[in-house]
Amino acid sequence: MNPPSIIWRCIITLLIFSVKCCPLLPASSQRFNGRGYLTVEPAPLFLIGSNLTVYCHINTCQSSFKISLELNGEIVKSWRKVNCTTVIFDLLNVQKPQSILLCKQEKDEHSLIVNGLDLRGGLPPGKPDSIVCETTRSSDSIACTWKIEQETHLSNTYNVSVSRENGTQIHFDQIQDAEQITIPRGILDENINYQLIVTVYNHFGALHSDPFILCVKDIVMPEVPRIMQVEFENSSIVAVLRWNTTESSVHVRPYIRLRTDNGLWEVREGTELSKDLIRVGGLRPLTEYQFQIRACKSASVFMHTNTTPSFTLASTSTSKSFCSKWSLSVRRRSPGKGPSQQLCVWRMLGNHWANGLRDVTVLWKPPPLEDYSGKVQHYMIFPPNGLKQDVICAATMNRCAVQVPAEIQALSISVVTSYGISPPAHVPLRHSGGFVPVLRDLAPAANGSAVLVSWLWAGTKQQSTSGEELLHYVVEWTDVPASQLQWHTVAKDQHNTSITGLTSGVRYNISLYAVTTRGVSAPSSRLAYSKEQKPVSGPSMSVLVHKTRQILIQWDELPVHQHRGFITNYTIYVQTLDYSSTELSVTLFASGPRKIWIDCPEGALALQVTASTSAGEGPRTNQIYSQPEAPAVGLVIVIALILTLFIAIIANLMCWSCVRKRIKQKCISWGPAWLVENLPKPGNSNAIRLLEQDGSEPSFSCTHSDPPLSPISLISWEERDDVYPTIHVETSQFDSGQPTVETPLLKSDCGTMLVGQLEHVSYKPQIATLGSQVEEVKDMEEEQRDMSESGDEDRCSGVFRGLLGGLLSSVEVDFSDSPLGPTLSSVGGLSWPNTSPVLNRGVVLGSRSVENDAEEDSPCVRLQQEEITTPDMSEPCTSLCTVGTTLPYGYFPQLADVSSTKE
């Protein structure tokens, strides 16, 4: 004997002993454990909703223990104590059909079970109804079923009787807890009506049904058909069932029901393809199905759907059509489905290249899951004419960049799955050049995550005449700064759509396109926010100029991602650092310039700026500090140094006599003619003196008298020599011992300059007495000699050639205001040497008015510096040089004899 058999024997022996010693009690029996017992009034089997009274009895009185009762694990609180061994508990309105009672003794934390009892509740039976009896043509029995109105929760007994119309009972049967019965078909005549009555009863009552009229010929239903074959079409959502029945196909019609694994049955009215073929649609690919079929006698079939296979309800006395039972189930798995819809596609156009290609980015939406089964393998892009090789894009992508020839007007794209390929969707690449849809105002949604877009389309009438047809609209949007493009298509009969999934405070660029048979229109674009918020920060600000009471401020544009709305205005806050004045705020429109002058308090300032949107004002920027501009001390010092140096140089140069002379000569040459014109002084004229004394008595104090004044007469150029003869001048070197040099008269077409003594002339002009100025003239001559001997003249000339660039080379010096009295300046445009001769005897000075007249009559003749004999300035005594001019006409100036004035 092996060990397993010994173990099994021991187990069986223990089970038998336990059953004999502790037998299982029925439901209403007490569980006696020796400590007490329970009783229930009215009884443990009760009508649901009744009130029960429970008595708990213990065998021994133990006052230290407390007696309690539990109903389904809950303590019963309504109790009263009879004595130390009995306690009464009240149970009100008990609704549960099955309950458990436990009586316990409790002391401190310890409890002992006294006894237990099972309660069972129930209801009286309802009236049996919905009686159905049916049979088939080949069946030997009649099956009848019924239902009762309510659940009793108790065991029910059914009595079924079949009687003739006269009341004679021909069949009786009793069944327990079943709602169907089988009646032998042979005991009934098929053409006679019978009455069938069902009676039900239990512990709380009994009821019987209404009489049911039973006629065998009226309850014969078609035979159960069979499903011979199930096939799926290419779409995998349609199944074709081949079925067979023994009934005539003319009088019956098939119906199908199906379900997935462990699902509910769903009745479908299929499409009859032929007498034995029926098609049912609306299936899902790659799904396990159970199919059943039944046949009905007439077209007006009462279809009854159950969760489990069941009989069809019998017809009433007014309806005589029946259906067969459902056939046996046939299991089939639907195959995979290939995509049947075109992809939703769009494009982005790129650059054109010199090789004739252009960049195109093709966009598409993944196909809906219900449109295909299996997995997406890849996407395929190809031109419609097939001239270019297909472009394969990965299954995980929703866009693909390609290069196509510029002449291609469209591309096609399809999705390839494990069960097929979708129809090609066409992507237009050319512009239609037609009407453009007009975007209306964009309306943000209340939740801040969507924008309602609406538009107008005015090209319907024009397109009908041109043959162009509107296909659909495309709305695309991207956040600013630009990131990934998003888009969707809108049907051509719609003029609004919603863009969802937007983020508050993010700017979006929304564009609308119209796609027609000719191409794609130009976009209509708008900027929008799904919900505006306050700016993240203020703009960057800088101070350009800060004056005492004004400040020039400039600020930069905020980055777009910090706007969080459309900027409406900027606010600038100005505050002194010592808070001596109230804060100044200036609000500026965002459309204006970002540079402005602001009136401000004096002193150092702290400035801040904010940006505002329709949602409110953003935070202030960090304070920037500004001081008024201090005087440019360094620049002032530099300018002062430069001016000081320049003045020092000028002052140093002015200390040199040669420089002074040249400057004075240059100033005289630049000044007007009347400024240097040496006119005779009327106060020194004897004639004027005589005229002044003419009224009293003649004066004979003057040695020489002026000739009588006569009218001025004009003479011709040819008569000039007769009136003014040529004068030869001799120049003598006094106190030198050198021979006398005879200087001929210099002639020209303009006039003649004479050097000589005027004492040969009959007329002696009058000048002021120069006696008081003679010594100053001599001092000047000695100074000039000293400068000539020491070479200062050459040094001064070199300095002025470098500094003034020879501007003073033609300066003519006039000593009309010097102690010399009249000097030789310039006569008739003649250029004189740099040395200034000192007059010892006299000077004949030509009037500038005469010069000007002479210059107008004939070209000016200049005497070269080499043609004039210059006295030797190194001699101690300067020779007397007398200069004269033969004037073509005019007045001889009056000069007094220099020697006569030297007293």
Side-chain angles (χ1 to χ4, degrees), residues 497-559:
T497 185
S498 291
I499 300 176
T500 58
L502 304 183
T503 304
S504 300
V506 176
R507 180 181 295 183
Y508 292 92
N509 184 17
I510 301 174
S511 300
L512 175 67
Y513 297 83
V515 181
T516 66
T517 53
R518 294 179 56 184
V520 181
S521 70
S524 178
S525 302
R526 286 282 187 90
L527 295 175
Y529 286 89
S530 60
K531 184 178 182 180
E532 293 193 38
Q533 297 180 349
K534 296 180 181 180
V536 176
S537 64
S540 176
M541 181 176 56
S542 60
V543 177
L544 303 181
V545 180
H546 189 171
K547 297 182 179 180
T548 304
R549 302 288 296 183
Q550 277 190 326
I551 187 169
L552 179 60
I553 299 174
Q554 181 178 359
W555 61 93
D556 300 330
E557 180 69 25
L558 269 177

Side-chain angles (χ1 to χ4, degrees), residues 657-725:
S657 60
C658 60
V659 176
R660 290 199 305 271
K661 292 177 183 179
R662 287 182 179 271
I663 292 175
K664 186 172 183 180
Q665 290 176 1
K666 199 65 178 177
C667 292
I668 292 173
S669 65
W670 287 348
W674 57 266
L675 186 62
V676 297
E677 188 175 9
N678 294 324
L679 299 176
K681 297 181 179 180
N684 297 331
S685 175
N686 292 330
I688 294 176
R689 291 176 183 175
L690 291 175
L691 291 175
E692 290 177 351
Q693 298 175 1
D694 185 45
S696 57
E697 57 182 0
S699 176
F700 300 98
S701 62
C702 183
T703 306
H704 304 283
S705 61
D706 290 334
L709 300 175
S710 61
I712 299 174
S713 63
L714 299 176
I715 62 175
S716 65
W717 182 262
E718 290 78 8
E719 297 174 349
R720 176 178 58 85
D721 294 336
D722 297 334
V723 178
Y724 305 105

Side-chain angles (χ1 to χ4, degrees), residues 453-736:
V453 183
S454 59
W455 59 88
L456 296 175
W457 175 248
T460 304
K461 296 182 180 179
Q462 289 77 2
Q463 287 177 345
S464 61
T465 58
S466 62
E468 182 181 7
E469 182 182 355
L470 177 64
L471 300 178
H472 57 268
Y473 299 99
V474 174
V475 178
E476 67 177 25
W477 66 96
T478 181
D479 55 345
V480 181
S483 62
Q484 188 172 0
L485 178 72
Q486 301 183 65
W487 58 278
H488 68 247
T489 58
V490 182
K492 63 180 180 180
D493 56 347
Q494 287 185 323
H495 291 87
N496 58 75
T497 185
S498 291
I499 300 176
T500 58
L502 304 183
T503 304
S504 300
V506 176
R507 180 181 295 183
Y508 292 92
N509 184 17
I510 301 174
S511 300
L512 175 67
Y513 297 83
V515 181
T516 66
T517 53
R518 294 179 56 184
V520 181
S521 70
S524 178
S525 302
R526 286 282 187 90
L527 295 175
Y529 286 89
S530 60
K531 184 178 182 180
E532 293 193 38
Q533 297 180 349
K534 296 180 181 180
V536 176
S537 64
S540 176
M541 181 176 56
S542 60
V543 177
L544 303 181
V545 180
H546 189 171
K547 297 182 179 180
T548 304
R549 302 288 296 183
Q550 277 190 326
I551 187 169
L552 179 60
I553 299 174
Q554 181 178 359
W555 61 93
D556 300 330
E557 180 69 25
L558 269 177
V560 174
H561 68 277
Q562 295 183 3
H563 283 200
R564 308 192 75 179
F566 293 110
I567 301 297
T568 57
N569 58 72
Y570 296 98
T571 304
I572 300 172
Y573 297 92
V574 181
Q575 177 67 57
T576 56
L577 292 184
D578 56 1
Y579 296 94
S580 59
S581 62
T582 58
E583 185 179 53
L584 174 67
S585 64
V586 179
T587 302
L588 304 170
F589 290 108
S591 58
R594 293 192 300 274
K595 182 188 296 184
I596 186 174
W597 282 98
I598 296 177
D599 295 333
C600 63
E602 295 181 354
L605 301 176
L607 299 101
Q608 292 176 299
V609 64
T610 62
S612 300
T613 64
S614 60
E617 184 179 12
R620 297 189 182 188
T621 58
N622 295 330
Q623 287 185 338
I624 64 171
Y625 304 97
S626 177
Q627 293 278 358
E629 295 180 354
V633 179
L635 181 61
V636 171
I637 293 174
V638 171
I639 294 175
L641 290 176
I642 293 174
L643 290 177
T644 303
L645 182 61
F646 181 74
I647 293 173
I649 294 173
I650 297 300
N652 191 18
L653 293 177
M654 291 297 291
C655 292
W656 299 341
S657 60
C658 60
V659 176
R660 290 199 305 271
K661 292 177 183 179
R662 287 182 179 271
I663 292 175
K664 186 172 183 180
Q665 290 176 1
K666 199 65 178 177
C667 292
I668 292 173
S669 65
W670 287 348
W674 57 266
L675 186 62
V676 297
E677 188 175 9
N678 294 324
L679 299 176
K681 297 181 179 180
N684 297 331
S685 175
N686 292 330
I688 294 176
R689 291 176 183 175
L690 291 175
L691 291 175
E692 290 177 351
Q693 298 175 1
D694 185 45
S696 57
E697 57 182 0
S699 176
F700 300 98
S701 62
C702 183
T703 306
H704 304 283
S705 61
D706 290 334
L709 300 175
S710 61
I712 299 174
S713 63
L714 299 176
I715 62 175
S716 65
W717 182 262
E718 290 78 8
E719 297 174 349
R720 176 178 58 85
D721 294 336
D722 297 334
V723 178
Y724 305 105
T726 302
I727 301 173
H728 294 274
V729 180
E730 292 181 0
T731 305
S732 299
Q733 302 291 338
F734 299 98
D735 302 330
S736 65

Side-chain angles (χ1 to χ4, degrees), residues 369-416:
L369 295 177
E370 61 273 10
D371 188 49
Y372 72 98
S373 59
K375 295 182 179 180
V376 174
Q377 296 181 345
H378 60 265
Y379 296 91
M380 184 171 55
I381 301 175
F382 52 92
N385 50 18
L387 297 178
K388 194 175 182 298
Q389 187 177 3
D390 299 345
V391 178
I392 304 301
C393 303
T396 57
M397 299 174 62
N398 59 2
R399 62 180 58 202
C400 190
V402 297
Q403 282 190 340
V404 297
E407 62 271 10
I408 291 182
Q409 303 296 325
L411 290 175
S412 298
I413 180 172
S414 295
V415 57
V416 179

